[in-house]
Amino acid sequence: MAERIRVRGLTIHRPVIYGNTATVLTPKERESLNFPDHTHRWTVAVRSAASAPDSDIVGGADDLGYFVKRVTFKLHDTYTNPTRHVDKPPFEVSETGWGEFEIQIRITFITESGEKPITLYHHLKLHPWSVTGDPEIPSPENAMRMGPVHSWQYDEIVFSDPFQSFLNILTDHPPTPLPKSKRRPVPFHMANPGSLEASKGGVPEFTTEMEKEEAERLETARKAVVAEQERWRATLIEKEKELERLQNQLPS
Ligand code: SLL
């Protein structure tokens, strides 16, 4: 079958995000639940990286159903039926609860792809990031004021030597490009402390500018490591010379 031919040497990727949003339950909401100890409502999801313009949803501009068959979210064992299969977009699970835990996310691709499933891990985040560097969990009142918590990871699913038929499906669905820069206010933990954005919170958005900034951060860090290595090497050489000098001074 010509269709099952692999396109050797070619790689193609699709940008995705995975992670969660969480909000504090109001006292009213808590009353209406069967679980009095639950404090938060959260959604864990796998979405396309680009966000729809003017949307409050992080990512999700494109429907991933054209190449994703199923996403399985493995929740903490304290949940009933902790393994949740989602067989159509949106690939997400919403729940209420009281604690943070690691969620295993398994992505199965459409059968035609011939690709093996991939597994990602996300630490469910319920409590806001500290703005002041204070590691303490804010009070529910403060957390509520800070707005929804967002914890999202950008990633690229890479397919190497794809089947021709799968490649055709992918190229028929080009991903919405990321915007160059942010179009909306950022969440409080990313905003300048004291700014209006910081007090109101906002919705994160992945941009190509962030990609560039991340590359620059990595490059700065790499240079710092090299400089540090050079410094220690120089110190070592100096000390070795001193050792030699002192040894030569010892009475033989
Ligand atoms: C913790 N290691 O102690 C974590 C476990 C588990 C959270 C957190 C389930 C609620 C329910 C729920 O929120 N589990 O089904 O009643 O923080």
Side-chain angles (χ1 to χ4, degrees):
M1 239 185 1
E3 290 280 279
R4 299 306 286 169
I5 288 172
R6 284 195 180 274
V7 186
R8 302 264 171 216
L10 187 132
T11 66
I12 181 164
H13 75 269
R14 284 295 174 266
V16 297
I17 58 163
Y18 59 96
N20 80 279
T21 62
T23 52
V24 179
L25 291 169
T26 62
K28 242 203 164 84
E29 283 176 301
R30 290 186 67 165
E31 264 171 46
S32 66
L33 287 177
N34 287 327
F35 310 98
D37 56 337
H38 287 195
T39 51
H40 291 75
R41 182 181 304 285
W42 52 261
T43 298
V44 59
V46 177
R47 297 180 183 146
S48 72
S51 306
D54 306 322
S55 159
D56 264 358
I57 297 170
V58 186
D62 309 323
D63 184 328
L64 299 181
Y66 67 92
F67 75 102
V68 172
K69 185 166 94 171
R70 159 180 280 188
V71 179
T72 303
F73 298 92
K74 222 167 151 228
L75 310 182
H76 194 263
D77 287 337
T78 45
Y79 283 92
T80 22
N81 306 322
T83 303
R84 309 283 174 90
H85 300 295
V86 184
D87 289 326
K88 56 178 197 307
F91 295 106
E92 59 185 47
V93 167
S94 294
E95 266 293 354
T96 60
W98 50 263
E100 299 186 342
F101 56 92
E102 186 100 310
I103 301 181
Q104 191 200 80
I105 304 172
R106 189 177 159 90
I107 304 177
T108 309
F109 302 103
I110 53 168
T111 315
E112 305 90 287
S113 72
E115 298 284 339
K116 288 196 202 70
I118 60 168
T119 303
L120 307 168
Y121 293 88
H122 173 69
H123 187 84
L124 178 71
K125 188 152 178 64
L126 300 184
H127 306 296
W129 269 270
S130 159
V131 184
T132 52
D134 181 350
E136 247 167 58
I137 295 176
S139 67
E141 295 75 35
N142 275 343
M144 210 171 294
R145 240 205 336 268
M146 291 163 102
V149 167
H150 289 281
S151 176
W152 296 97
Q153 175 70 49
Y154 173 92
D155 209 341
E156 289 173 353
I157 302 181
V158 180
F159 302 105
S160 301
D161 305 335
F163 283 121
Q164 181 66 62
S165 53
F166 184 46
L167 180 62
N168 294 345
I169 293 172
L170 292 174
T171 50
D172 278 350
H173 297 83
T176 299
L178 294 181
K180 244 193 147 92
S181 53
K182 287 196 180 62
R183 297 170 293 192
R184 299 172 302 183
V186 295
F188 60 87
H189 70 274
M190 297 176 186
N192 291 325
S195 70
L196 182 65
E197 287 182 355
S199 64
K200 274 195 3 207
V203 179
E205 181 173 33
F206 288 87
T207 63
T208 54
E209 213 167 68
M210 282 163 79
E211 219 172 331
K212 221 182 83 210
E213 284 164 11
E214 177 77 4
E216 282 165 8
R217 270 195 295 276
L218 288 173
E219 182 54 19
T220 306
R222 195 190 62 80
K223 282 192 181 136
V225 170
V226 171
E228 186 86 336
Q229 264 174 346
E230 289 301 323
R231 239 167 23 82
W232 283 110
R233 202 194 314 277
T235 307
L236 181 65
I237 291 169
E238 217 172 90
K239 296 282 177 205
E240 275 174 349
K241 275 194 190 139
E242 192 181 340
L243 178 66
E244 201 182 324
R245 199 168 48 76
L246 291 173
Q247 271 170 344
N248 287 341
Q249 281 175 12
L250 284 178
S252 42

